[in-house]
Amino acid sequence: MEYLFENVKENIYVLAIWDSKWNSYNNCYFIVQEDGITLIDSCKEEHSSYLVQALKLLGKTPEDVTLVLATHGHEDHVQGTVLFKNAKKYIHQQERSLIVYPEPDEFHFELTDRGLIQEFDYFWVGHHTPGSLAFYHKPSRVLFTGDFLCFFGDPLSKDGLVSVGNDLRHEWLEFLRKGGVAKVQLNDFLQGLKAMNTFKVDVMCSGHGGVLVGEIESFISELLHAGKQLQEIHVDK
Ligand SMILES: [Zn+2]
Ligand SMILES: [Zn+2]
């Protein structure tokens, strides 16, 4: 199995490509609107043919993609953008130095720490890379978290790619409790989670692996609670 392409909600689709070099799924997302397709992240250039196949399944071509939003500048989130000649491409201004390929000038560096671009609220999450952003698609209440909160290197949930994913939630909580987020980054990470919980989220789409459906607020709250407990331990020491 090389890739999965599934409906997330309404007109939103996930493409999860198995990357055997990294032992992980790399995800990107298609939002199909009347006036064009928006892509959130774009995978590596070597995975471009999968993006073309996914568009074909939607009856579309790369020319139909009009907007590309990158959560951050790592190769598995920006390289595939070379396919989309008709698209305006946006990323946070602090990610410029991370972009090796394509030419950074392919992107507009107009996104700041919080704002609105078309139907998407975006906000800075302060963790993973200097300018990592999350995008919230208001009409569908779907949140795109990039690698700030993802399942890099994890198998998919036993319930499937797009599912409640209780097993994945449990694993992330355990990862956090065991110190998976470095002490020095914990405060920024918790601030990012707090920002996330100001939105009403039905589905959480991450940069790698599982797409979580339902009870997102309680999952984020559990992470916040576990993170705060860790901070208290650090203060006590
Ligand atoms: Zn990354
Ligand atoms: Zn990534």
Side-chain angles (χ1 to χ4, degrees), residues 26 32 35 48 55 75 94 114 129 221:
N26 297 338
V32 184
D35 52 351
S48 303
L55 284 163
E75 58 183 300
Q94 284 191 57
R114 197 170 195 102
T129 60
S221 297

Side-chain angles (χ1 to χ4, degrees), residues 53-237:
Q53 282 178 48
L55 284 163
K56 207 172 171 186
L57 289 168
L58 296 172
K60 307 285 182 184
T61 70
E63 284 69 43
D64 295 313
V65 176
T66 51
L67 179 67
V68 174
L69 302 173
T71 56
H72 63 293
H74 283 157
E75 58 183 300
D76 50 317
H77 299 263
V78 297
Q79 280 189 349
T81 56
V82 289
L83 270 178
F84 307 113
K85 306 293 179 208
N86 294 340
K88 275 198 137 188
K89 303 161 190 179
Y90 291 88
I91 194 166
H92 190 278
Q93 50 200 354
Q94 284 191 57
E95 297 294 283
R96 180 183 276 273
S97 62
L98 292 183
I99 302 173
V100 179
Y101 179 86
E103 278 297 313
D105 287 343
E106 291 242 343
F107 285 89
H108 296 266
F109 293 90
E110 289 158 26
L111 304 186
T112 53
D113 288 351
R114 197 170 195 102
L116 185 72
I117 181 158
Q118 295 190 11
E119 291 183 320
F120 298 85
D121 282 278
Y122 67 85
F123 55 99
W124 182 72
V125 288
H127 178 65
H128 187 66
T129 60
S132 274
L133 293 173
F135 295 96
Y136 175 69
H137 186 242
K138 213 177 280 184
S140 61
R141 297 171 34 150
V142 173
L143 178 70
F144 301 89
T145 58
D147 289 0
F148 170 79
L149 194 55
C150 73
F151 305 101
F152 187 89
D154 290 339
L156 299 179
S157 165
K158 63 173 176 44
D159 300 322
L161 171 62
V162 182
S163 65
V164 178
N166 281 326
D167 43 1
L168 294 184
R169 297 176 195 228
H170 179 77
E171 294 269 328
W172 227 105
L173 271 161
E174 283 304 296
F175 172 75
L176 180 61
R177 287 188 184 117
K178 287 178 181 158
V181 175
K183 271 185 211 174
V184 289
Q185 295 173 347
L186 194 55
N187 194 48
D188 288 341
F189 178 68
L190 297 183
Q191 293 304 322
L193 290 177
K194 273 186 206 158
M196 269 176 199
N197 251 1
T198 61
F199 296 94
K200 294 222 170 311
V201 179
D202 292 344
V203 182
M204 190 195 103
C205 294
S206 85
H208 298 269
V211 174
L212 304 185
V213 182
E215 309 278 344
I216 304 302
E217 194 181 342
S218 72
F219 173 51
I220 306 279
S221 297
E222 277 184 281
L223 289 169
L224 272 167
H225 181 70
K228 279 177 195 153
Q229 280 186 324
L230 281 172
Q231 276 183 323
E232 279 159 24
I233 295 167
H234 297 160
V235 171
D236 289 347
K237 271 180 184 169

